[in-house]
Amino acid sequence: MKVGVLASGRGSNFQSMVDHVSLDVLRDIELEVLISNKRNAPALAIARKNDIEALYIPYVRKRGLPKEESRLLHDQRIIDALQKRGVELVVLAGYMRLLSPQFIDTYPNRIMNIHPSLLPKHPGLHVHQQVIDAGDDVSGCTVHFVNKEVDAGPIILQTKVSVRKDDTEESLAARVLVFEHRTFPKAIQIFADKRLRVVEKVVFIDYSGGWGESWDQRQGVYLRHQEKSWAKVGKPLVEVLRVD
Ligand code: GRF
């Protein structure tokens, strides 16, 4: 199945998808193209390094044109690029622009996003600070389909992460990110394996035949790889994940 990824920044979720593919955890998935609206997005560099096509498609506010029409022109260029490459699933991995209704209608229940909270709690921006200010003791991440309401589409998967009393925005973000990198690829594989069905706004996942167990077993390879990558950036994963 051909996947197109849209990203505006760092691209760590995209990197985790690349790793899942190269470790043969994500199967029958081709990361066909990475599209960014930011020229210097590190996500573009990750794509190039891994021989994945990297496209920079800037948003340009056309003089005298209403904002929505400029948005549509930008989205249309992206849709054209995705369609030309036969993309079946669009993945938003830190894509910082809202999609036009026309984009969403082109890919109904075929655009996934990851949000770093347990939706419907804390949609929008500055999520981790919202969680801390609310005094929540549990947070996490949500993979959902994108519909026309912001951060409110059908929920596919959620992973819970505990909040520590001394958490800062940064420490909570780092801990949640570890689980984002594990959860997003799983949702993509569920979709590619045609294991999900959306009825109204509810996602039903078919885990029969030991799907979940065999995924967990396969993803073990990635977990060990993830452990090493955090060590490389100087932070042992045990420290990031420590719960008092
Ligand atoms: C992630 O925290 C994701 O949940 C949010 O944007 C961030 C993107 O990070 N939507 P990265 O670019 O994947 O590193």
Side-chain angles (χ1 to χ4, degrees):
M1 187 193 65
K2 292 186 177 180
V3 175
V5 184
L6 271 55
S8 301
R10 182 176 57 179
S12 71
N13 275 285
F14 173 55
Q15 178 72 62
S16 91
M17 292 164 204
V18 171
D19 293 343
H20 275 79
V21 170
S22 63
L23 293 168
D24 195 32
V25 179
L26 263 180
R27 292 187 180 160
D28 303 317
I29 304 285
E30 289 141 65
L31 297 172
E32 198 63 21
V33 62
L34 181 286
I35 300 177
S36 184
N37 59 318
K38 296 282 179 199
R39 188 194 299 275
N40 297 319
L44 284 168
I46 295 172
R48 290 188 198 106
K49 197 173 158 206
N50 290 280
D51 292 322
I52 296 167
E53 187 181 10
L55 287 182
Y56 163 52
I57 304 185
Y59 167 73
V60 183
R61 177 81 200 268
K62 292 260 179 348
R63 207 184 275 262
L65 209 62
K67 207 169 156 190
E68 285 319 305
E69 287 187 36
S70 296
R71 180 190 302 283
L72 191 52
L73 283 176
H74 181 231
D75 280 4
Q76 194 55 57
R77 286 187 65 196
I78 298 175
I79 293 168
D80 290 347
L82 295 170
Q83 288 184 333
K84 204 172 137 195
R85 289 159 182 80
V87 164
E88 294 150 88
L89 175 70
V90 183
V91 164
L92 308 186
Y95 186 62
M96 298 309 284
R97 291 189 51 76
L98 293 178
L99 301 182
S100 58
Q102 289 82 350
F103 196 139
I104 292 160
D105 286 338
T106 309
Y107 291 98
N109 288 337
R110 286 196 290 138
I111 307 170
M112 281 185 191
N113 180 45
I114 189 153
H115 184 82
S117 80
L118 295 177
L119 290 172
K121 280 187 110 178
H122 312 302
L125 299 172
H126 309 296
V127 177
H128 303 295
Q129 196 57 53
Q130 283 189 49
V131 171
I132 291 167
D133 292 346
D136 295 355
D137 49 20
V138 180
S139 187
C141 62
T142 303
V143 181
H144 64 95
F145 283 119
V146 174
N147 66 7
K148 289 174 193 165
E149 304 147 64
V150 178
D151 296 330
I155 291 174
I156 304 164
L157 288 179
Q158 293 190 304
T159 304
K160 288 184 183 165
V161 175
S162 50
V163 182
R164 290 171 41 178
K165 296 236 173 317
D166 62 350
D167 258 331
T168 61
E169 213 178 338
E170 291 73 28
S171 64
L172 182 56
R175 190 154 354 96
V176 171
L177 195 62
V178 171
F179 292 92
E180 290 186 42
H181 295 168
R182 299 174 184 180
T183 309
F184 214 168
K186 181 175 180 181
I188 294 171
Q189 189 71 68
I190 288 171
F191 183 92
D193 289 354
K194 300 192 173 29
R195 289 274 177 163
L196 66 75
R197 218 162 31 97
V198 188
V199 181
E200 309 277 318
K201 261 198 71 179
V202 182
V203 175
F204 293 90
I205 301 177
D206 174 9
Y207 287 114
S208 64
W211 192 96
E213 292 75 8
S214 74
W215 170 263
D216 287 348
Q217 203 180 7
R218 236 156 75 200
Q219 203 185 28
V221 180
Y222 172 75
L223 266 48
R224 288 187 283 281
H225 164 84
Q226 193 184 36
E227 188 86 40
K228 282 191 217 133
S229 325
W230 278 90
K232 243 189 253 164
V233 294
K235 241 190 181 41
L237 199 55
V238 277
E239 189 189 302
V240 179
L241 297 179
R242 183 170 57 90
V243 181
D244 296 328

